[in-house]
Amino acid sequence: MTGRVQVEPVPCLQDNYAYLVRCEVSGRVAVVDPSEAEPVWAALAAFGGTLSAIWNTHHHWDHTGGNEDLLRRDPKLRVLGHQSDRGRIPGQTDFLDDGAQIALGELTGHIRHIPAHTTGAIAYFVGDEVFTGDTLFLAGCGRLFEGTPAMMFASLAHLGAHCHGDSRLWVGHEYTASNLRFAAAAEPDNPQIQAALERCSDQTCTVPGTWAQELALNPFVRAQTAEKLGELRAWKDRF
C-alpha cells in the first residue's frame, strides 16, 4: 500500500454503519455498504474528497440500499462485490473473488471471501483497516442466513490469517453492547469481557475494534471447533 488512508464511520438506519474511506494523496473516496445515500452525501461534504466507488460487503438491502441513489448522482461510480452476488447487488460493476486486488487512488487493498452470513460475503483490507460487513462484529458474528457453522468457523479463521493484532476492524452494525452481554454469559470468568462491557456502557460508537481484542473476548473467534461455534450461534439466536 502507498499513500495514507483515512476512515470515517457514517451511522445509517437504526444501527448500521457505512464507511467513507479516503486516499489522502489523491482525495479519492470509496463508501463501504451505503444503506442510505443522504447520510453518505452529508458526511462526504464534511469529510472531503471525491467519491469514486461503492464497496459492498454483501447483498443485503441494509448494506446496498443507497447504491441506486448514489449512482443516480454519479453513474460512473464503480460498484464492487463478490462475483457470486451478480444480480443481487444493485449497480454492481466489479465481480471479485478471494484475493482480488482493489485500488483507490494511491491505495492498494484486497478482498477476502468470508461466506456464512451470506454466501457472497467479503471483507475489504486496506492497510491496517478491515471492513468485515456482517460476518464479524465486535465481540460477535453474524447470523447464518445462507451458510453453516463450518463456513463461519472457516471464514473467521480466514480473517485471522490476514489480520495482525493491531488490524482495525470496521463492522456492519453497532451491536457491541449486546454482543458483550452474550459473551459475558458464554465466558463468565473472562475478565476482559467484563472490562470491555463496562467501557462500552459509555460509548455510542464502538468502532473500530482490533483483532487482538477479538482474540481476547469474542467467543466466536475463540471457539476451537465449528461445532462449538454452532452451539454458541444457536444460543445467541435465542439470547
Side-chain angles (χ1 to χ4, degrees), residues 122-176:
I122 56 177
Y124 292 84
F125 283 71
V126 184
D128 292 337
E129 318 302 331
V130 185
F131 303 90
T132 65
D134 286 2
T135 299
L136 175 73
F137 297 125
L138 301 186
C141 75
R143 288 180 180 267
L144 303 177
F145 286 121
E146 296 179 2
T148 65
M151 290 171 68
M152 181 62 80
F153 185 79
S155 290
L156 294 179
H158 196 36
L159 279 173
H162 294 279
C163 286
H164 56 79
D166 292 331
S167 293
R168 301 206 307 168
L169 307 173
W170 305 90
V171 302
H173 291 265
E174 183 54 68
Y175 289 165
T176 309

Side-chain angles (χ1 to χ4, degrees), residues 79-101:
V79 182
L80 282 58
H82 191 255
Q83 61 184 13
S84 68
D85 272 336
R86 185 182 296 270
R88 302 207 294 179
I89 291 178
Q92 187 175 358
T93 59
D94 292 54
F95 304 87
L96 308 174
D97 204 356
D98 188 71
Q101 285 197 343

Side-chain angles (χ1 to χ4, degrees), residues 1-5 21-23 30 32 53 55 80 94 96-113 122-131 162:
M1 183 189 74
T2 58
R4 294 176 55 214
V5 58
V21 186
R22 183 176 63 210
C23 170
V32 180
W55 295 351
L80 282 58
D94 292 54
L96 308 174
D97 204 356
D98 188 71
Q101 285 197 343
I102 57 174
L104 180 67
E106 300 299 314
L107 300 171
T108 300
H110 64 274
I111 70 152
R112 292 296 166 190
H113 186 207
I122 56 177
Y124 292 84
F125 283 71
V126 184
D128 292 337
E129 318 302 331
V130 185
F131 303 90
H162 294 279

Side-chain angles (χ1 to χ4, degrees):
M1 183 189 74
T2 58
R4 294 176 55 214
V5 58
Q6 187 170 359
V7 180
E8 179 70 18
V10 183
C12 296
L13 301 176
Q14 182 175 351
D15 52 32
N16 277 75
Y17 285 119
Y19 296 101
L20 296 176
V21 186
R22 183 176 63 210
C23 170
E24 292 288 81
V25 175
S26 68
R28 293 285 182 177
V29 176
V31 58
V32 180
D33 286 348
S35 54
E36 301 179 275
E38 288 306 319
V40 170
W41 283 117
L44 182 63
F47 188 58
T50 302
L51 187 64
S52 61
I54 298 170
W55 295 351
N56 288 128
T57 62
H58 62 294
H59 74 276
H60 282 164
W61 70 270
D62 63 328
H63 294 257
T64 64
N67 283 22
E68 291 179 334
D69 284 345
L70 293 173
L71 286 165
R72 275 192 283 270
R73 298 194 189 207
D74 186 353
K76 299 186 298 298
L77 294 175
R78 306 299 297 181
V79 182
L80 282 58
H82 191 255
Q83 61 184 13
S84 68
D85 272 336
R86 185 182 296 270
R88 302 207 294 179
I89 291 178
Q92 187 175 358
T93 59
D94 292 54
F95 304 87
L96 308 174
D97 204 356
D98 188 71
Q101 285 197 343
I102 57 174
L104 180 67
E106 300 299 314
L107 300 171
T108 300
H110 64 274
I111 70 152
R112 292 296 166 190
H113 186 207
I114 48 171
H117 180 68
T118 68
T119 54
I122 56 177
Y124 292 84
F125 283 71
V126 184
D128 292 337
E129 318 302 331
V130 185
F131 303 90
T132 65
D134 286 2
T135 299
L136 175 73
F137 297 125
L138 301 186
C141 75
R143 288 180 180 267
L144 303 177
F145 286 121
E146 296 179 2
T148 65
M151 290 171 68
M152 181 62 80
F153 185 79
S155 290
L156 294 179
H158 196 36
L159 279 173
H162 294 279
C163 286
H164 56 79
D166 292 331
S167 293
R168 301 206 307 168
L169 307 173
W170 305 90
V171 302
H173 291 265
E174 183 54 68
Y175 289 165
T176 309
S178 62
N179 286 342
L180 284 168
R181 286 192 290 271
F182 173 76
E187 297 188 24
D189 297 326
N190 186 332
Q192 296 195 64
I193 294 173
Q194 298 296 334
L197 189 53
E198 292 174 9
R199 291 193 302 271
C200 185
S201 64
D202 296 327
Q203 296 175 291
T204 58
C205 177
T206 60
V207 291
T210 68
W211 184 249
Q213 289 169 343
E214 297 310 294
L215 288 172
L217 54 78
N218 187 324
F220 299 97
V221 170
R222 291 163 59 81
Q224 296 298 304
T225 66
E227 290 74 19
K228 178 60 176 178
L229 187 150
E231 293 172 5
L232 288 168
R233 187 62 257 181
W235 181 14
K236 180 66 164 64
D237 290 346
R238 305 186 304 268
F239 189 75

